[in-house]
Amino acid sequence: RSPFTETLTKLANTMKINLLTAVVAAAGIAVSVAQGDIGDIQRNLGISKPNTSCTGYKACESAANNGGTVTMGAYSCTSNQSCKNLANKGTATLANNACTGYKSCDDAGKEGGTATIGPYACTQSNSCNNLAYKGTATLAKKSCTGSKSCEDAAKNGGKFTVGEESCTQQQSCDEAGRDNGDATIGYKSCTGSKSCFDLGEKGKAIVGEQSCTQSESCKEAGKDNGDATIGEKSCTQSRSCFDLGEKGKAIVGNGSCTGNESCKQAGDEGDITIGDNSCTGGRACKDLDKATIVIGNNSCTCYECCKCLDDGDIIPDNSCTQSGECCSGSSRKGAYLSALKATAAASAVTWTTFAERTSSGTFTTSYSGAAIAEHMNQDPNRIIHRHCSTCTASTHKDIYYKRITSVPAQSAFTGHATDFVNLFTDNWMTTPSNVLNTDFKLYSTYDDAINDVNGWTYCNYDDPTVGFPRDCGPNGKIDYQWIKSTAGTWVMEVEGTPRKSESGGLGPTSPSYVGCYKDTSTRAIAHGWNGQRDDTLTIEKCVAQCTSLGFAYAGVQNGYACFCDNTGYDMYGASSSCNAPCTGDSSQICGGPWANSVYSTGNGGGTGGDPHFTTWNNDHFEYHGQCDLALVKDAEFAEGLGLDIHIRTKVVRYWSYIK
């Protein structure tokens, strides 16, 4: 009847075994027998619990520790830190809907242990964190759905397997299978922002089809000598699969890498294989250098995607079909010729925010409606982009508005929409001149807008205080995806850089991109170039040179030449041939063969309006056309050197200025 024998008797009765078996089972277990702590003995043996167990705070913590075994029914481990350290160095088997509390099942199956959990598990923030660290973890479908859930699972040589539709929240399955571990994840997984980030780093990662579909999901997966295999229709959002398989090996299925900058730098210093119909998002698969690259059919069809390829890389026909020098080697099977014929924008896309509402509720506008309207009427592409973080429809996260007709003058905005900016931010109206496929078109991607494909077919308007795009949709009405100055988190931006003047309109007061224009041997921009190739040319360098010489415009041509002038840059019309990288910065575009990328220096070169001046006698003159006025002419001035001063005004498009 000592405390020790009483404890063993209780244990024997609980487990329905004889006293001798209990003695043998307890031998060597480090417990405080003086206290008669049956709980400690139980934790180090084996436990079998029914459904809805371990539901309290830290309930079942460290159960079946140090080589023990635990089996639990459904809906268990549902509270804060319940089942933490479960089956450390042992074996844990849990049924469905388990580990649903904050940090529940944290460290379960750690240090060489094994954790097997049913579907719908690890659903809360940090649940199943460090699961099967150095051990083995197997989870059924729709698991690891909480923020940072399953983070570091099967790390350091462990093995991590999760069923389909898992790792769906921000940073879920982050670094799973890292450091020589293995991670296998089912289809439609890694769909949360930064989910599966660093998956299988220095180890092995396999992800099923239709996965890695959110921003930065699967980024750096299989990094540092790891292997990453990702199924079809994956890596579809901005920067998803970025740095995939760096210094390792990456295999991506068909129809993948379709998000902006998706798969960028993938396989850097490693090997990468990408399936058919892939690398179609802006700059997708860019910088795949220092690696062995194999890309499938009909791929690399976006601006600057795959911009990196060398001779020896395998690119089939119908690939590298857009501009941005995605292919230039002789092994390209004629793809370079296709790139030269591309219709996509030839210069790097620059976006300027003109209105936004932050997550804190702050609404700001950076440009007047008149400034954006005038810029849209002059820009060659005339595209506005809306990004909406709070919009729930995937089709409405990013929308591209492309103007067909000229934007009406400010005087035309006499209704609910007070100006062109207000038309988007608060009052999406049909007037003035704002009708789908008559005055503008809508697209889901920038490439679609440039190539005029896959345009939206439905739009409605005229609901005061409801902003862009009301219920417009790709193929029909989609509700509640509009914005306004008092709701949502969103950004409105215009392609190019509008220029502000004191009146809120446009004026040459700061360096900005003007456009791409043709040139001939009779130069449109005639000054500045010394006839020598500049192997360190950048846009900034040319603009600075022309600014210092007092010129209003700088033009870079064919990658290596810089020209300056105050007028005439557009005398031969617009060009689509600005596609040559600058010799000093290959990420910039410096014109093309007989084509100038033109920038305003901010030096002025005009008055910002129709020329006018006042004489010493207070006579006032204005000029609204093209003429040549002799102000002073004196052949005898300065002992015969002579003096001849003229003002010449010139008409360009819709304005005139002093030349």
Side-chain angles (χ1 to χ4, degrees):
R1 287 303 176 184
S2 68
F4 181 60
T5 56
E6 288 180 4
T7 298
L8 293 179
T9 301
K10 290 178 182 178
L11 177 60
N13 290 335
T14 300
M15 301 181 66
K16 293 183 173 57
I17 59 177
N18 61 44
L19 187 60
L20 178 61
T21 303
V23 172
V24 173
I29 296 175
V31 296
S32 178
V33 295
Q35 298 296 322
D37 189 352
I38 189 170
D40 278 346
I41 297 177
Q42 238 183 348
R43 273 192 286 273
N44 288 279
L45 290 173
I47 299 174
S48 178
K49 286 186 175 289
N51 295 345
T52 321
S53 300
C54 304
T55 57
Y57 172 68
K58 288 192 175 182
C60 304
E61 182 180 16
S62 298
N65 203 346
N66 290 324
T69 301
V70 61
T71 302
M72 292 189 184
Y75 302 96
S76 300
C77 309
T78 57
S79 292
N80 185 354
Q81 299 187 58
S82 57
C83 305
K84 182 175 180 180
N85 225 6
L86 184 73
N88 189 339
K89 300 181 181 179
T91 300
T93 303
L94 287 82
N96 58 283
N97 297 89
C99 306
T100 57
Y102 172 72
K103 285 194 173 183
S104 57
C105 304
D106 196 16
D107 290 330
K110 188 178 177 182
E111 301 291 345
T114 300
T116 304
I117 304 177
Y120 309 102
C122 309
T123 59
Q124 292 299 314
S125 174
N126 291 88
S127 56
C128 305
N129 198 305
N130 239 356
L131 184 73
Y133 182 89
K134 297 184 180 179
T136 300
T138 304
L139 286 81
K141 65 181 179 179
K142 296 185 178 179
S143 299
C144 306
T145 56
S147 172
K148 290 191 175 182
S149 57
C150 306
E151 185 177 34
D152 286 334
K155 190 175 177 182
N156 280 358
K159 186 172 183 179
F160 178 57
T161 304
V162 186
E164 66 266 21
E165 299 182 55
S166 301
C167 311
T168 58
Q169 292 299 314
Q170 183 179 17
Q171 290 185 283
S172 55
C173 307
D174 190 19
E175 297 189 0
R178 184 178 173 182
D179 292 337
N180 299 312
D182 283 354
T184 302
I185 300 177
Y187 66 86
K188 293 184 179 179
S189 300
C190 306
T191 57
S193 173
K194 290 189 176 180
S195 58
C196 306
F197 193 102
D198 267 346
L199 183 75
E201 181 177 345
K202 298 180 182 177
K204 185 175 182 179
I206 300 175
V207 183
E209 63 189 33
Q210 300 179 52
S211 301
C212 310
T213 57
Q214 287 302 313
S215 173
E216 296 195 353
S217 56
C218 305
K219 182 177 178 182
E220 298 185 1
K223 185 178 177 182
D224 289 339
N225 298 312
D227 287 351
T229 301
I230 299 179
E232 296 181 350
K233 298 179 182 178
S234 302
C235 311
T236 58
Q237 291 299 316
S238 173
R239 297 170 77 89
S240 55
C241 306
F242 193 101
D243 265 347
L244 182 75
E246 182 178 347
K247 299 181 181 178
K249 184 175 182 180
I251 299 175
V252 183
N254 297 336
S256 301
C257 307
T258 57
N260 185 44
E261 291 196 343
S262 58
C263 306
K264 183 176 179 182
Q265 296 180 5
D268 191 18
E269 299 184 29
D271 294 342
I272 182 165
T273 301
I274 299 178
D276 296 343
N277 303 306
S278 302
C279 305
T280 59
R283 294 185 175 87
C285 307
K286 183 179 178 183
D287 294 334
L288 308 186
D289 53 346
K290 301 178 182 176
T292 299
I293 304 166
V294 179
I295 298 178
N297 295 314
N298 303 309
S299 302
C300 303
T301 56
C302 63
Y303 171 69
E304 279 198 349
C305 58
C306 310
K307 184 179 178 182
C308 58
L309 304 174
D310 300 314
D311 287 335
D313 296 331
I314 302 172
I315 308 295
D317 293 330
N318 301 319
S319 298
C320 294
T321 58
Q322 299 297 332
S323 61
E325 293 214 353
C326 69
C327 307
S328 57
S330 60
S331 66
R332 238 17 106 296
K333 298 184 179 178
Y336 179 55
L337 295 178
S338 299
L340 291 179
K341 297 175 183 178
T343 57
S347 59
V349 180
T350 299
W351 296 103
T352 301
T353 298
F354 63 83
E356 66 178 317
R357 190 175 190 272
T358 65
S359 57
S360 63
T362 302
F363 169 69
T364 56
T365 57
S366 308
Y367 288 82
S368 68
I372 298 302
E374 191 167 356
H375 175 76
M376 286 285 284
N377 288 339
Q378 296 175 15
D379 187 79
N381 291 334
R382 306 206 290 186
I383 295 175
I384 286 174
H385 169 227
R386 187 201 78 170
H387 176 74
C388 179
S389 302
T390 51
C391 292
T392 56
S394 60
T395 53
H396 285 64
K397 291 289 187 182
D398 293 278
I399 305 175
Y400 294 84
Y401 172 101
K402 184 175 184 179
R403 192 72 192 185
I404 302 172
T405 61
S406 295
V407 179
Q410 176 60 40
S411 59
F413 288 86
T414 58
H416 289 284
T418 57
D419 61 25
F420 189 57
V421 170
N422 183 257
L423 179 75
F424 292 92
T425 62
D426 282 293
N427 292 285
W428 179 242
M429 299 288 166
T430 53
T431 57
S433 302
N434 191 55
V435 177
L436 180 68
N437 296 327
T438 298
D439 301 298
F440 69 90
K441 293 184 178 183
L442 296 178
Y443 304 88
S444 298
T445 69
Y446 176 76
D447 288 325
D448 284 352
I450 288 295
N451 294 298
D452 191 22
V453 295
N454 304 318
W456 289 19
T457 60
Y458 176 83
C459 216
N460 60 357
Y461 330 75
D462 299 331
D463 190 354
T465 74
V466 172
F468 174 76
R470 197 183 170 188
D471 306 319
C472 303
N475 299 300
K477 182 179 179 182
I478 298 182
D479 295 322
Y480 306 118
Q481 305 302 310
W482 41 266
I483 61 172
K484 61 189 304 183
S485 60
T486 58
T489 301
W490 48 266
V491 175
M492 297 294 308
E493 53 189 10
V494 64
E495 184 178 2
T497 307
R499 293 172 289 165
K500 296 180 180 179
S501 70
E502 294 179 0
S503 64
L506 301 182
T509 58
S510 61
S512 61
Y513 181 64
V514 176
C516 178
Y517 296 95
K518 296 176 182 177
D519 199 9
T520 71
S521 57
T522 304
R523 298 292 184 181
I525 305 178
H527 306 285
W529 190 44
N530 59 8
Q532 300 298 314
R533 177 188 176 93
D534 185 347
D535 289 326
T536 61
L537 183 64
T538 65
I539 293 168
E540 293 81 8
K541 182 177 181 180
C542 183
V543 169
Q545 175 181 319
C546 295
T547 300
S548 66
L549 294 173
F551 289 105
Y553 297 100
V556 284
Q557 185 174 130
N558 213 23
Y560 59 81
C562 173
F563 297 90
C564 311
D565 214 327
N566 287 322
T567 64
Y569 63 82
D570 59 348
M571 66 171 58
Y572 301 120
S575 172
S576 60
S577 298
C578 291
N579 54 18
C582 300
T583 54
D585 184 350
S586 61
S587 68
Q588 296 181 343
I589 297 297
C590 281
W594 297 111
N596 289 316
S597 295
V598 180
Y599 290 82
S600 164
T601 66
N603 270 341
T607 64
D610 289 311
H612 60 90
F613 66 92
T614 301
T615 69
W616 286 302
N617 294 328
N618 290 320
D619 293 324
H620 186 79
F621 296 88
E622 293 184 1
Y623 297 90
H624 299 279
Q626 184 163 310
C627 61
D628 194 1
L629 173 67
L631 295 181
V632 179
K633 188 171 184 177
D634 184 356
E636 302 301 323
F637 183 79
E639 298 180 352
L641 289 177
L643 178 65
D644 195 348
I645 300 175
H646 291 235
I647 281 185
R648 170 170 294 171
T649 65
K650 183 174 181 179
V651 175
V652 174
R653 291 182 182 159
Y654 311 110
W655 67 89
S656 58
Y657 60 92
I658 296 174
K659 185 175 182 180

